[in-house]
Amino acid sequence: LQTELDEEACSLLPYEHFLIYSKRVLTPKGLTAAIVEVDKGKIVSVKEQSTPPTSSTELPVSDYGNAVIMPGLIDLHVHLNEPGREEWEGFVTGTKSAAAGGVTTVVDMPLNSFPTTISKESLQLKLLAANGKLAVDVGFWGGLVPENAENTTALDELLSSGALGLKAFMCPSGINDFPMTTASQIKAALPVLAKYGRPLLVHAEVQQPLEDGHPQLEEFTGLSSEEKRHYSTYLASRPESWEKQAVQELVNAAQITTAGSSAQGAHIHIVHLSDAGNSLDLIKKAKHDGAHLSVETCPHYLSFSAEEIPDGNTQYKCAPPIRHAENRASLWKALMEGHIDFLSSDHSPAPPELKLLEEGDFINAWGGISSLQLVLPATWTFGKGHGITLERVALWWSVNPAKLAKLSQKGSIEVGKDADLVIWDPETSFIVDENYSLFHKHKVTPYAGKTLSGQVISTFSRGNLVYHEGHHATKACGLSILSA
Ligand SMILES: NC(=O)NC(NC(N)=O)C(=O)[O-]
Ligand SMILES: [Zn+2]
Ligand SMILES: [Zn+2]
């Protein structure tokens, strides 16, 4: 391997045409022993073979034995927060974390950076800021806000400048510079998205009056510090009815995306679903009725439950909230049955002080969970009890995300695709403790202290070995991915 002493290099390997072998290569046909030939960043052949290449081959060979070779993960929901808030994460630490976690493509959310990505100009600023800092490939979602929702020209420019789609919030986003939009503003934007065949991603919560017996939103400031330390106080503040109302409004809006309608070809994607009850039922029915609708959930909703969140541990705070264990089981069931289309991290870091860990104040702490480097082991570890398979992991983390973002050159190990690969050992466990190299800018995560199984060994990004056993390539050669 090239060491840090060498001149800057995009890859830890000194060549671009080589063979990789393992007994467990995940191709669209399934898991098989195979040789993957990589040349100039592309997969040029995949040959099933039960033994590694003999020494006679003139090409260099990396023999990974029984490790699993899978398509690199594609994480469509990451807040990298640059420009403007790189002290929250930033492109350098965010994409190094991705590489260390086998995530070879990240699509960056339009908020928590400053400016937010709501115009052609702010997208240009994003691209400038990202230049030379990307360890893996990064795409960008544009933002749909009241300022541009009814401005067809602005949305057209944003999409024609390369945004892979748009993101909207139906409730306050937790950060003042990215305001929420209503269902009618969302509907107004759909015809422009239809023109580009690009999706609208939505944070699906609509504020509703809270049930009697619980403090109403306006009463939160009066809560005692003790009450604000209880996770149950926070959980009660964002009930399933908020998600259900949003989903109902989106299902109604999606009606104009069907054939012959004004927004035919547009697609609505619900991000980070937490409610596996009424909200999921509405989604299942709408899909059954042919709505152009998809939905994701995140590992933290599948890993943790409200019952286990101790008072004051605000690193678990996110919106929508992590719900009860029964809900988690229903999410796993829906995921295994294909009603939930794929997974994303919703990596949403902030400086630790915003998490108010000393006070343990769930009401005022930053809502957002950091997990980008850990999503593969987290999915694998907590999926074991639910019948998870390697094929499903690739479907949820590579194949389906590539389809939504229309990244046709990525998402599977097939000839002609980008050589984006993660090589990992599902059977090796580790503890996320101070000895574990977490490359996130901040180490606050609810996975701290947890034992996870699934150790990433190597990550290839377009044929460059960008990460191998704790080492990153010395030069960041990831590309900004713009829609065609
Ligand atoms: N501004 C945010 O990053 N919000 C995020 N925060 C969460 N999920 O708690 C999100 O995705 O909604
Ligand atoms: Zn959100
Ligand atoms: Zn988010």
Side-chain angles (χ1 to χ4, degrees), residues 1-2 9-16 18-20 60-62 64 460 463-466 468 473:
L1 292 179
Q2 283 192 309
C10 294
S11 176
L12 290 166
L13 295 177
Y15 38 71
E16 60 176 19
F18 54 92
L19 304 176
I20 310 175
V61 177
S62 299
Y64 282 94
F460 287 87
N464 291 320
L465 180 59
V466 292
H468 181 76

Side-chain angles (χ1 to χ4, degrees), residues 248-372:
Q248 185 58 69
E249 292 180 20
L250 290 172
V251 167
N252 297 343
Q255 285 168 358
I256 63 170
T257 65
T258 50
S261 306
S262 61
Q264 174 182 342
H267 178 99
I268 292 176
H269 176 71
I270 291 163
V271 301
H272 55 40
L273 176 78
S274 177
D275 172 28
N278 293 331
S279 307
L280 182 59
D281 291 344
L282 283 174
I283 293 167
K284 285 160 71 171
K285 182 177 181 318
K287 284 173 139 193
H288 180 263
D289 296 347
H292 291 225
L293 193 68
S294 54
V295 61
E296 75 188 32
T297 190
C298 304
H300 40 273
Y301 298 113
L302 298 164
S303 305
F304 308 120
S305 65
E307 289 88 339
E308 67 193 76
I309 298 176
D311 283 357
N313 282 38
T314 53
Q315 61 267 41
Y316 287 89
K317 178 178 179 178
C318 61
I322 292 166
R323 302 189 188 281
H324 292 292
E326 186 189 351
N327 184 73
R328 173 178 57 186
S330 302
L331 280 175
W332 271 112
K333 183 170 179 290
L335 186 62
M336 291 301 290
E337 289 173 353
H339 299 300
I340 295 176
D341 299 277
F342 59 79
L343 300 178
S344 75
S345 67
D346 188 15
H347 179 71
S348 183
E353 52 272 22
L354 295 185
K355 273 295 194 182
L356 305 179
L357 289 161
E358 283 69 39
E359 308 91 315
D361 178 349
F362 270 106
I363 299 301
N364 296 301
W366 169 255
I369 282 179
S370 289
S371 63
L372 179 53

Side-chain angles (χ1 to χ4, degrees), residues 437-450:
S437 301
L438 201 55
F439 293 95
H440 301 160
K441 183 152 287 170
H442 306 295
K443 311 310 173 193
V444 172
T445 174
Y447 293 98
K450 302 289 191 292

Side-chain angles (χ1 to χ4, degrees), residues 77 79 109 111 167 169 203 271-272 346-348:
H77 191 155
H79 299 265
M109 282 289 168
L111 70 156
K167 166 75 180 296
F169 271 73
H203 179 120
V271 301
H272 55 40
D346 188 15
H347 179 71
S348 183

Side-chain angles (χ1 to χ4, degrees), residues 5-124:
L5 301 179
D6 294 345
E7 81 287 347
E8 288 221 311
C10 294
S11 176
L12 290 166
L13 295 177
Y15 38 71
E16 60 176 19
H17 189 189
F18 54 92
L19 304 176
I20 310 175
Y21 171 81
S22 102
K23 291 186 175 62
R24 293 191 285 179
V25 179
L26 191 65
T27 72
K29 290 192 292 184
L31 208 54
T32 174
I35 301 169
V36 180
E37 183 183 354
V38 173
D39 191 13
K40 296 184 181 57
K42 292 286 187 181
I43 295 169
V44 296
S45 81
V46 181
K47 204 168 67 180
E48 292 187 25
Q49 182 169 314
S50 56
T51 55
T54 56
S55 52
S56 63
T57 171
E58 74 286 356
L59 286 174
V61 177
S62 299
D63 178 354
Y64 282 94
N66 197 37
V68 171
I69 302 179
M70 268 179 23
L73 278 65
I74 298 173
D75 190 347
L76 298 187
H77 191 155
V78 179
H79 299 265
L80 290 173
N81 308 336
E82 187 174 355
R85 291 196 180 92
E86 43 271 45
E87 70 281 4
W88 287 33
E89 186 61 78
F91 289 121
V92 170
T93 50
T95 58
K96 283 181 81 169
S97 307
V103 177
T104 51
T105 305
V106 160
V107 184
D108 179 39
M109 282 289 168
L111 70 156
N112 305 357
S113 52
F114 189 84
T116 51
T117 320
I118 57 168
S119 67
K120 174 180 179 178
E121 292 72 21
S122 52
L123 178 59
Q124 295 302 333

